[in-house]
């Protein structure tokens, strides 16, 4: 059994105490990392669920979720580009659709998406399964993960949008983001009817969803498509579209810095806690260390023992914190409808930060051991 | 032996009355004994308290962001549609419904406000960000800040706007005199004011009613989003709200300032995930703080265990020792709290700069963190006392 391990487990009560201390600092970092991830994940979720290789949208858009329609006629031009297998319209609205909640009878702003029922654009299986029904006037699909006050999680069959009767013919699972509380998806005829009166004319599309033929070279198609489009239309690959949205959220929203501050503070507090722990442990075991030195063990060996012990301390805090974090992620996902996921990235980042904070604080604390003069200790 | 028993009783009595000083002195001596360790402890508790400050600041900043506009407006009552959620989802009602109120004896003045979202077509890099436009009568004295009142008359010029200087860089330069295109109309930036954009959007501009009608021709001025009601001097807003509510009838709602603040706070903390995100951060911060103080205090106790056992052996009760521990915890919390306040003020300023959230260090907030610090100190003391209970004089030596 290595010395570090024995030294760690020599006092069970102290081990519990130290792993609780480090564990909560780790939990704090995990929550901040999780929120940050969930924030971006929520705002990118719709885009990830679009079934296309290339996308057309107004070049003036600063984020996807803003009204800036482009003409439908662009799709005909896109279909003429060799290698384009399909070009379909996606209609969207974030500001004008008011859903009457069956839960409390109040009107709530929701975001709405629409497509031609015979030209599916989503990768949501339930939407595609129910799309034939969207030909019926007034038929809508609602997000069962919409915020609860919308009442979309109930078995609502009928409600109203913009004072017009709608039939809820099915549900899908998407979840809210930080801008919209809930989502409705419908056929373009229903969409145009619900929004009529605002402009009168049929709405333009917010995006063109384009698929590239299997045998075509995606880069070549992208290039030709760009040439076929006017200057005020942007042609984006899926990864570009996601990067565009992520860059907007990171630049404009406060989420990035807020959660980064939380993570950094968690790290610093964790470092102090682990310094406190390792410092106490070393002080308590100074006679033992001095003895080891006296009988000829070199300083590098002692350094290694202390660092190993610090790493073990860190692990003893990280493992329960990670497990607790898993539970909390699930709980918050259910309560706040946030897509909290314990990703590999979060796992590795938190582990790296934990080990870093423990090892750095141990390296500072170890100076005391190195200086331990066997003659002075006793 | 009654006499000696009495003597011991008296001594215990005397010890009890002086006990509180003894425990404080003892706690002080213990902390003072190993300065390096205590300094380290202070660093820990300082960081924990700072952490609570950061989370609490963020938690409170969100409803504060919703109140930014209102806090800078002069009104006693706010009339809104009963569909009102928050500024960016205010609902609307017919302007004609204000006529009755204007005639009411309690009412001094009513200022209708129009909110609209317009395309700012002169953004950075060809972007067209959405501008939150607030339309009002330039002759009204609705806004408090001198920066607005001084320049409000500029709005009577056609196609002129005042821009909130917290408007994001994506809108491009905001220099006075710059002509920008908004909803296909050329508008001139006449000046700036600073309220903050809150939850209204990335950019906010003030504009006259007449210009508002030109920017949103389909909507015109028939529909009002909010109406700020000022009451005659000496009228109680609570009572006036109840009476006027009766007069305006269904579909409309009158808020007093207090009711509005309550509405905004509950909207942001319960209806969005904001409350949960910062609330859970706050909770974990407090737990981390407890862990830090506990860690420190129990380490100290561990080191002083023989001394504590000696005290026990010479007749100090568990209560006195627990008091000593509590005094230690509270002293540590106090000492960590003092430097945390200026540090929090500094961090808040950085957060304001980085996030545009109105994170403000108010006396109330300092009070809350102080309460949180005491709670952290008390709980960690209770935990640490459990370790002390085990101090058996016979065991230690």
């Amino acid at each position: 059994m290595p010395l570090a391990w024995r030294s760690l487990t020599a006092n069970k009560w102290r081990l519990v105490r130290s792993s609780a201390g480090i564990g909560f600092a780790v939990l704090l970092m995990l929550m901040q990392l999780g929120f940050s991830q969930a924030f971006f994940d929520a705002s990118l979720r719709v885009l990830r669920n679009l079934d296309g290789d290339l996308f057309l949208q107004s070049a003036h858009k600063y984020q996807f979720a803003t009204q800036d329609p482009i003409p439908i006629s662009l799709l005909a031009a896109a279909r003429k580009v060799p290698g384009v297998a399909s070009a379909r319209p996606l209609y969207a609205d974030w500001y004008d659709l008011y859903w009457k909640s069956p839960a409390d009878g109040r009107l709530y702003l929701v975001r709405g998406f629409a497509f031609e029922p015979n030209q599916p654009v989503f990768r949501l299986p339930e939407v595609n399964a129910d799309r034939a029904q969207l030909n019926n006037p007034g038929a809508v699909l609602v997000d069962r993960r919409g915020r609860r006050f919308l009442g979309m999680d109930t078995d609502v069959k009928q409600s109203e949008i913009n004072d017009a009767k709608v039939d809820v013919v099915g549900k899908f699972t998407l979840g809210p983001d930080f801008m919209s509380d809930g989502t409705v998806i419908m056929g373009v005829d229903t969409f145009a009817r619900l929004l009529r009166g605002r402009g009168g004319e049929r709405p333009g599309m917010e995006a063109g969803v384009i698929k590239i033929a299997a045998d075509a070279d995606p880069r070549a198609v992208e290039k030709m498509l760009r040439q076929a489009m006017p200057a005020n239309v942007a042609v984006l690959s899926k990864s570009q579209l996601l990067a565009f949205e992520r860059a907007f959220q990171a630049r404009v929203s406060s989420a990035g810095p807020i959660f980064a501050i939380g993570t950094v503070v968690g790290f610093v507090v964790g470092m102090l806690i682990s310094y406190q722990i390792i410092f106490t442990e070393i002080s308590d075991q100074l006679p033992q260390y001095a003895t080891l030195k006296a009988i000829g063990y070199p300083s590098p060996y002692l350094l290694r023992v202390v660092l190993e012990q610090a790493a073990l301390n860190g692990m003893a805090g990280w493992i329960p914190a990670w497990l607790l974090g898993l539970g909390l992620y699930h709980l918050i996902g259910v309560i706040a409808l946030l897509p909290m996921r314990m990703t590999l990235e979060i796992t590795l980042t938190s582990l790296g930060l934990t080990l870093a904070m423990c090892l750095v604080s141990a390296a500072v604390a170890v100076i005391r051991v190195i200086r331990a003069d066997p003659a002075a200790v006793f | 032996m009654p006499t000696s028993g009495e003597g011991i009783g008296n001594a215990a009595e005397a010890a009890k009355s002086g006990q509180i000083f003894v425990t404080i002195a003892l706690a002080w001596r213990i902390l003072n004994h190993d300065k390096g360790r205590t300094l380290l402890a202070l660093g820990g508790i300082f960081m924990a308290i700072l952490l609570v400050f950061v989370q609490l600041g963020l938690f409170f900043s969100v409803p504060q962001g919703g109140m930014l506009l209102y806090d800078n407006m002069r009104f006693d009552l706010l009339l809104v549609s009963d569909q009102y959620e928050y500024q960016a989802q205010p609902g609307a009602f017919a302007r004609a419904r204000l006529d009755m109120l204007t005639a009411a004896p309690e009412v001094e003045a009513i200022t209708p406000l129009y909110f609209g979202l317009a395309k700012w077509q002169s953004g950075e890099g060809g972007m067209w960000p959405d501008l939150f436009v607030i339309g009002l009568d330039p002759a009204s004295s609705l806004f408090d800040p001198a920066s607005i009142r001084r320049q409000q008359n500029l709005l009577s010029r056609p196609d002129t706007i005042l821009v909130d200087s917290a408007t994001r860089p994506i809108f491009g330069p905001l220099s006075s005199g710059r002509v920008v295109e908004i909803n296909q109309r050329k508008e001139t930036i006449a000046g700036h004011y600073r309220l903050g954009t809150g939850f209204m959007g990335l950019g906010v501009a003030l504009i006259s009613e007449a210009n508002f009608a030109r920017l949103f021709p389909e909507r015109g001025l028939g529909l009002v989003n909010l109406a700020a009601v000022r009451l005659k001097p000496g009228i109680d807003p609570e009572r006036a709200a109840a009476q006027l509510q009766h007069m305006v009838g269904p579909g409309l709602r009158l808020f007093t300032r207090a009711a509005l603040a309550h509405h905004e706070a509950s909207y942001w903390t319960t209806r969005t995930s904001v409350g949960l995100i910062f609330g859970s951060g706050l909770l974990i911060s407090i737990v981390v703080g407890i862990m830090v103080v506990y860690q420190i205090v129990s380490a100290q106790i561990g080191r002083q265990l023989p001394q504590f056992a000696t005290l026990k052996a010479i007749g100090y009760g568990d209560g006195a020792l627990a008091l000593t521990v509590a005094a230690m915890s509270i002293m540590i919390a106090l000492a960590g709290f003092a430097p945390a306040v200026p540090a929090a003020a500094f961090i808040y300023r950085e957060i304001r700069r980085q996030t545009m959230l109105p994170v403000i260090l108010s006396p109330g907030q300092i009070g809350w963190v102080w309460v949180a610090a005491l709670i952290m100190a008390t709980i960690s003391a209770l935990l640490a006392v459990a370790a002390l209970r085990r101090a058996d004089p016979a065991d230690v030596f």
Side-chain angles (χ1 to χ4, degrees):
Chain A
M1 227 180 0
L3 182 57
W5 178 258
R6 267 185 296 173
S7 171
L8 180 74
T9 52
N11 184 339
K12 296 266 156 38
W13 178 240
R14 193 173 60 195
L15 176 64
V16 169
R17 211 167 67 198
S18 68
S19 56
I22 293 176
F24 275 104
V26 175
L27 189 64
L28 181 70
M29 292 195 289
L30 277 174
M31 296 315 288
Q32 301 295 321
L33 292 169
F35 284 137
S36 182
Q37 183 271 134
F39 175 86
F40 286 105
D41 205 30
S43 50
L44 296 175
R45 191 152 268 209
V46 173
L47 300 181
R48 287 215 174 95
N49 278 297
L50 287 177
D51 188 15
D53 305 312
L54 294 173
F55 299 87
L56 308 177
Q57 65 172 16
S58 163
H60 301 303
K61 271 202 181 201
Y62 64 100
Q63 68 165 331
F64 181 70
T66 181
Q67 231 77 37
D68 201 346
I70 51 174
I72 302 285
S73 57
L74 292 170
L75 293 179
R79 286 185 195 110
K80 290 200 187 100
V81 172
V84 168
S86 69
R88 296 168 174 177
L90 170 69
Y91 303 86
D93 191 289
W94 290 270
Y95 303 122
D96 311 300
L97 292 169
Y98 287 88
W99 158 264
K100 184 172 186 174
S101 165
D104 61 7
R106 283 174 63 85
L107 301 180
Y108 294 103
L109 185 64
V110 292
R111 77 181 154 184
F113 295 109
F115 60 99
E116 301 280 357
N118 61 352
Q119 298 180 38
V121 291
F122 285 104
R123 294 205 303 189
L124 298 162
E126 290 163 296
V127 172
N128 292 334
D130 291 335
R131 67 191 163 92
Q133 293 189 71
L134 294 181
N135 284 312
N136 302 330
V140 298
L141 305 170
V142 299
D143 182 3
R144 66 167 65 82
R145 261 174 79 83
R147 293 206 187 279
R148 276 176 204 94
F149 52 82
L150 298 175
M152 290 179 172
D153 53 343
T154 62
D155 60 345
V156 51
K157 290 277 172 272
Q158 271 206 331
S159 189
E160 288 172 20
I161 293 177
N162 294 358
D163 295 328
K165 284 252 176 300
V166 290
D167 296 309
V168 178
V169 296
K171 291 209 171 100
F172 57 91
T173 306
L174 193 64
D177 63 10
F178 285 75
M179 187 176 164
S180 308
D181 294 323
T183 309
V184 288
I185 294 182
M186 62 198 98
V188 63
D189 292 334
T190 304
F191 186 72
R193 195 168 56 85
L194 292 177
L195 292 174
R196 193 158 296 161
R198 289 196 62 87
E201 73 277 16
R202 240 175 125 82
M205 61 178 181
E206 280 306 324
V209 181
I210 289 168
K211 275 201 187 170
I212 299 173
D215 56 351
D217 169 22
R219 290 194 173 277
V221 178
E222 192 182 326
K223 211 171 152 196
M224 280 186 285
L225 189 62
R226 199 160 281 145
Q227 281 161 0
M229 291 294 125
N232 60 358
V233 171
V235 178
L236 302 171
S237 68
K238 185 141 195 179
S239 57
Q240 285 170 334
L241 184 66
L242 291 171
F244 159 80
E245 189 65 19
R246 182 177 269 278
F248 164 76
Q249 298 292 353
R251 187 162 85 124
V252 170
S253 79
S254 313
I258 286 176
F259 298 125
I261 290 169
T263 311
V264 169
V265 177
F267 180 80
V268 176
V269 172
M271 211 154 88
L272 272 160
I273 293 180
S274 80
Y275 181 73
Q276 173 76 28
I277 290 166
I278 206 95
F279 184 85
T280 310
E281 280 174 8
I282 289 176
S283 305
D284 289 353
Q285 291 162 355
L286 208 56
Q288 288 88 319
Y289 282 115
T291 308
L292 287 174
K293 250 180 121 168
I295 61 175
Y297 282 97
S299 290
Y301 172 77
L302 298 180
L303 177 68
R304 215 188 69 206
V305 171
V306 171
L307 289 182
E308 273 172 13
Q309 202 179 326
L312 285 173
N313 266 331
M315 290 304 294
W318 182 80
I319 293 170
W322 188 87
L323 291 171
L324 194 58
L326 212 59
L328 274 179
Y329 275 29
H330 178 74
L331 199 67
I332 289 172
V334 171
I335 296 175
L337 300 163
L338 280 172
M340 302 277 286
R341 282 183 305 116
M342 185 64 80
T343 58
L344 185 65
E345 195 190 329
I346 291 180
T347 303
L348 294 179
T349 307
S350 63
L351 182 59
L353 288 173
T354 306
L355 290 178
M357 75 190 191
C358 289
L359 292 177
V360 169
S361 51
V364 178
V366 81
I367 294 167
R368 204 173 145 98
V369 173
I370 306 275
R371 288 210 190 119
D373 181 352
V377 170
F378 297 105
Chain B
M1 289 206 275
T3 35
S4 78
E6 206 170 299
I8 290 171
N10 282 344
E13 199 87 332
K16 214 167 241 172
S17 62
Q19 218 166 53
I20 194 87
F21 299 106
V22 172
T23 53
I24 291 174
L26 185 58
W28 176 252
R29 295 271 311 257
I30 292 173
L31 292 178
N32 220 14
H33 174 70
D34 190 343
K35 290 210 182 63
R37 215 176 256 270
T38 303
L39 220 60
L40 177 65
L42 289 185
I45 189 68
F46 164 78
M47 280 309 295
I49 291 174
L50 199 57
L51 180 62
V52 174
F53 262 119
V54 169
Q55 293 293 334
L56 197 76
L58 292 172
F59 185 79
F60 278 141
S61 78
V62 174
Q64 262 162 16
M67 288 299 288
L68 273 180
L69 186 67
Y70 303 133
D71 284 344
N72 288 289
M73 271 165 52
R74 294 179 189 168
F75 64 93
D76 300 302
L77 300 175
L78 191 72
L79 182 66
V80 299
S81 148
D82 67 354
Q83 295 298 332
Y84 176 87
E85 297 286 342
Y86 72 109
Q87 280 147 22
Q89 276 186 54
F93 55 93
R95 184 174 184 150
R97 296 193 66 177
L98 294 179
D99 296 345
M100 236 187 323
L101 269 190
T102 318
E106 299 95 330
V107 173
E108 168 111 16
I110 297 185
T111 312
L113 281 178
Y114 302 86
F115 292 162
L117 215 49
K119 283 278 172 211
W120 177 281
Q121 292 162 298
S122 304
E124 195 184 62
M127 295 294 157
W128 289 3
D130 292 296
L131 178 73
F132 190 87
V133 181
I134 302 174
L136 83 163
D137 176 4
S140 73
S141 51
L142 181 65
F143 284 103
D144 255 338
S147 57
I148 297 183
R149 274 184 293 156
R150 214 171 41 237
Q151 301 177 82
Q152 212 168 296
N153 63 321
L154 296 174
L155 291 179
S156 358
R157 299 182 198 159
D159 298 321
T160 298
I161 61 169
L162 293 178
V163 183
D164 192 316
S165 46
T167 293
R168 306 297 193 278
I170 193 175
F171 286 74
L174 300 173
S175 38
S176 295
R178 184 183 173 212
V179 176
V180 295
E181 202 175 337
I182 303 172
N183 275 12
Q184 278 97 43
R185 285 191 73 87
K186 298 254 185 283
E187 302 280 341
T188 308
I189 300 176
H192 308 96
Y193 63 94
R194 184 153 193 128
L195 288 187
T197 53
F199 294 101
M200 294 176 274
L202 305 175
V204 181
L206 282 178
I207 195 166
S208 74
E209 286 180 343
N211 278 338
F212 188 90
R214 279 194 289 268
L215 270 188
F216 303 97
E218 284 166 28
R219 173 170 160 184
L221 296 175
L223 282 178
V224 175
N225 295 105
L226 306 176
V229 179
R230 252 191 303 154
L231 299 172
K232 293 223 168 86
I235 305 254
D236 174 40
E238 288 287 341
R239 281 190 33 209
Q243 279 159 8
L244 296 175
Q245 177 71 62
H246 202 67
M247 187 188 282
V248 295
L252 295 184
R253 188 169 173 192
L254 271 162
F255 279 119
T256 60
R257 293 195 84 109
L260 185 65
H262 179 76
H263 171 93
E264 296 289 314
S266 81
Y267 176 85
W268 289 105
T269 46
T270 63
R271 286 277 305 281
T272 62
S273 33
V274 166
L276 194 91
I277 288 179
F278 297 133
S280 67
L282 186 60
L283 214 65
I284 297 178
S285 306
I286 292 178
V287 176
V288 170
I290 291 172
M291 288 297 146
V292 172
V293 182
Y294 168 61
Q295 199 74 244
I296 292 161
V297 174
S298 64
Q300 297 273 28
I301 291 176
R303 282 172 56 83
Q304 310 290 344
L305 213 53
Q307 287 84 328
F308 275 110
T310 308
L311 285 175
K312 248 177 148 167
I314 63 169
Y316 277 89
D318 276 344
L321 298 186
L323 267 176
T324 309
V325 174
M328 272 170 70
S329 298
I330 290 171
M331 278 178 189
I332 291 173
L334 242 166
F337 183 78
V341 176
F346 172 77
I347 288 198
Y348 277 22
R349 210 180 63 209
E350 284 307 303
I351 296 177
R352 275 201 301 275
R353 196 173 295 164
Q354 293 282 317
T355 67
M356 301 250 177
L357 281 173
V359 188
I360 298 151
L361 193 61
S362 66
Q365 222 141 309
I366 296 177
W368 278 113
V369 176
W370 173 234
V371 169
L374 283 184
I375 291 175
M376 290 181 339
T378 311
I379 295 182
S380 49
L382 288 175
L383 288 172
V385 163
L388 192 56
R389 288 257 153 75
R390 296 193 309 258
D392 181 349
D395 254 12
V396 171
F397 298 105

